[in-house]
Amino acid sequence: MKKLRALTDVKIKSGRKANPEFMNGVDKIIKEAKDFQLGKNAIKIGQHAPNFELPNAEGKTNSLDFLLANGPVVITFYRGNWCPYCNLQLRALQAKLDEIHALGATLVAISPQVPDGSLTNDEISNMEFTVLSDQDAKVALQYGVAWQVPGFLIEHMRVDRKLDLEKINNGNSNILPIPATFIIGKDSEVKWSYVNVDYRTRSEPDDIIEALQNLS
């Protein structure tokens, strides 16, 4: 299987060819976000990870404390099933899930979407990891990865993508997580993290595997 970065690079290249004006606008927004160090408040390695209680796709509440009882937890924040880069990431993580489980870890994916909308029923049945709903982005805020999305991107989603984020996220129309991944140890301490405000770039699953190997 190709590296996730290779897959996202292909997606970026395709986007530039199809809509160069939009992609140039994204480049500008990402540069501004990096200049302002967006994501600098993300929880750091060595810090205590805040506990959370969030519903899964079936509406059942899951807590970080409960998940940690079984071993380390890999938490990845993603924007939603409407985001093609997120879908590439989740599929890549699914492909590595056996290795993650073999290292005693649990994978949890968190998005703002309503519990029954984060993934389709078929996708849920095929995904062997937990998908949780952070509708008001409070957990993303606790982890320092909540982003008030610029109007340029909101307008693109509304007009070009025909996406109603307010409906998708049950009232939250403009706060999305910075795609970020954290490895939390059984002691609730952050052991590894990847935070990048450029939503087109994601943590490589092999890097997560290596971090878990070092942890064990």
Side-chain angles (χ1 to χ4, degrees), residues 5 7 30 41 51 80 97 104 115 121 154 157 169 202 209:
R5 182 56 187 266
L7 296 173
I30 296 303
N41 294 323
N51 185 40
L97 197 57
N121 289 333
I154 294 291
M157 294 174 197
N169 298 339
R202 307 301 174 97
I209 298 295

Side-chain angles (χ1 to χ4, degrees), residues 4 8 26 44 151 177 179 184 191 211:
L4 178 57
T8 54
V26 173
K44 304 295 191 296
I184 315 300
K191 304 298 185 182

Side-chain angles (χ1 to χ4, degrees), residues 4-182:
L4 178 57
R5 182 56 187 266
L7 296 173
T8 54
D9 282 348
V10 169
K11 185 65 183 175
I12 293 170
K13 184 177 180 180
S14 174
R16 292 195 188 283
K17 183 177 180 180
N19 195 342
E21 183 178 355
F22 169 70
M23 291 298 276
N24 288 338
V26 173
D27 290 339
K28 181 180 178 181
I29 286 173
I30 296 303
K31 182 181 183 304
E32 291 173 351
K34 288 184 176 180
D35 287 344
F36 281 100
Q37 295 184 299
L38 187 64
K40 66 181 178 181
N41 294 323
I43 56 174
K44 304 295 191 296
I45 293 172
Q47 290 185 330
H48 182 86
N51 185 40
F52 55 74
E53 293 185 354
L54 293 173
N56 64 13
E58 288 78 34
K60 181 181 177 181
T61 298
N62 285 247
S63 73
L64 177 60
D65 285 347
F66 176 81
L67 295 168
L68 285 173
N70 297 316
V73 175
V74 180
I75 300 173
T76 189
F77 288 89
Y78 73 104
R79 304 195 304 163
N81 73 325
W82 49 267
C83 170
Y85 298 96
C86 298
N87 291 334
L88 285 174
Q89 179 191 26
L90 294 184
R91 292 189 190 105
L93 287 169
Q94 172 66 37
K96 293 289 185 177
L97 197 57
D98 285 346
E99 293 177 61
I100 292 173
H101 287 169
L103 291 165
T106 300
L107 174 63
V108 175
I110 300 176
S111 89
Q113 286 188 256
V114 293
D116 60 352
S118 294
L119 293 169
T120 66
N121 289 333
D122 285 344
E123 286 174 315
I124 291 168
S125 64
N126 290 325
M127 293 292 184
E128 299 170 10
F129 53 85
T130 302
V131 177
L132 301 178
S133 176
D134 180 27
Q135 292 173 41
D136 51 15
K138 285 185 177 179
V139 174
L141 183 63
Q142 285 181 305
Y143 278 68
V145 295
W147 183 25
Q148 184 164 343
V149 183
F152 172 79
L153 289 177
I154 294 291
E155 188 70 3
H156 165 72
M157 294 174 197
R158 185 182 67 83
V159 176
D160 299 330
R161 298 286 310 278
K162 309 301 180 188
L163 293 170
D164 184 349
L165 284 187
E166 186 171 3
K167 180 179 179 180
I168 292 171
N169 298 339
N170 196 26
N172 169 16
S173 63
N174 63 349
I175 304 294
L176 293 174
I178 297 170
T181 301
F182 301 92

Side-chain angles (χ1 to χ4, degrees), residues 179-196:
T181 301
F182 301 92
I183 295 178
I184 315 300
K186 287 196 68 173
D187 57 0
S188 297
E189 186 178 282
V190 180
K191 304 298 185 182
W192 181 90
S193 67
Y194 178 93
V195 180
N196 191 332

